[in-house]
Amino acid sequence: MTRRTIQLCVGAGAATFKAVALASLLRKRGHTVRVAMSRAATAFVGPLSFEAVTGMRPAVDSTAVEADGTASHLAAGAADALVLVPATADLIGRVAAGLGDDAASLAALCAPERRLFCPAMNDRMWLNPLVQANVARLEQHGWLRLGPVEGMLAEGYEAVGRMVEPEDVVARLEELLG
């Protein structure tokens, strides 16, 4: 596999820890991994966790700037692929509405052609018609969806809404990248 640059846009939810595992797996596969976190995601996983597994400091605010002076969200557009993970109802809604009020949503709005989102939320949220409309809007605009799947939710019962496993995301990304 050719070394590629993958942009992760990290949402805030019980599955946020899976984004760290995904970043680690991608790095082990030889990819460069850039991370942009929503403000709320930092309450679930600290930026230092991503820096430890990627070797790069994640963007955590909308004014983040790269060492070369490029705005972090604009640099996201140069990635080979972008993944919203976990794609929470909030993050999906903001991106579907074209809102860019934090590092993750700004980077998503500058996404390259290959865009993937991995929903993760409570089954009641997932089945909500407003969330489904936002999911459909992303898909209509070329975003590819992976999941959610049925499984144990953070609430302690099994239902649809669980994020796919990081290994599944890696496999799909590498398939997309050829």
Side-chain angles (χ1 to χ4, degrees), residues 5-124:
T5 300
I6 310 298
Q7 175 72 53
L8 299 184
C9 296
V10 181
T16 302
F17 74 95
K18 288 186 177 184
V20 177
L22 173 60
S24 180
L25 285 172
L26 288 167
R27 182 88 187 272
K28 287 176 185 173
R29 304 270 307 171
H31 302 293
T32 299
V33 181
R34 300 171 47 81
V35 176
M37 302 175 72
S38 69
R39 285 182 292 276
T42 64
F44 287 88
V45 174
L48 188 57
S49 295
F50 285 106
E51 188 171 353
V53 300
T54 67
M56 292 190 284
R57 186 175 305 242
V60 294
D61 65 55
S62 61
T63 60
V65 177
E66 300 298 308
D68 67 1
T70 305
S72 293
H73 61 278
L74 295 177
D80 295 297
L82 182 142
V83 183
L84 295 182
V85 57
T88 60
D90 178 66
L91 187 53
I92 289 169
R94 284 187 287 125
V95 174
L99 301 176
D101 63 347
D102 63 23
S105 57
L106 272 173
L109 293 176
C110 295
E113 187 174 304
R114 294 179 187 103
R115 301 171 301 230
L116 180 67
F117 67 110
C118 303
M121 63 195 76
N122 175 280
D123 58 313
R124 293 178 75 158

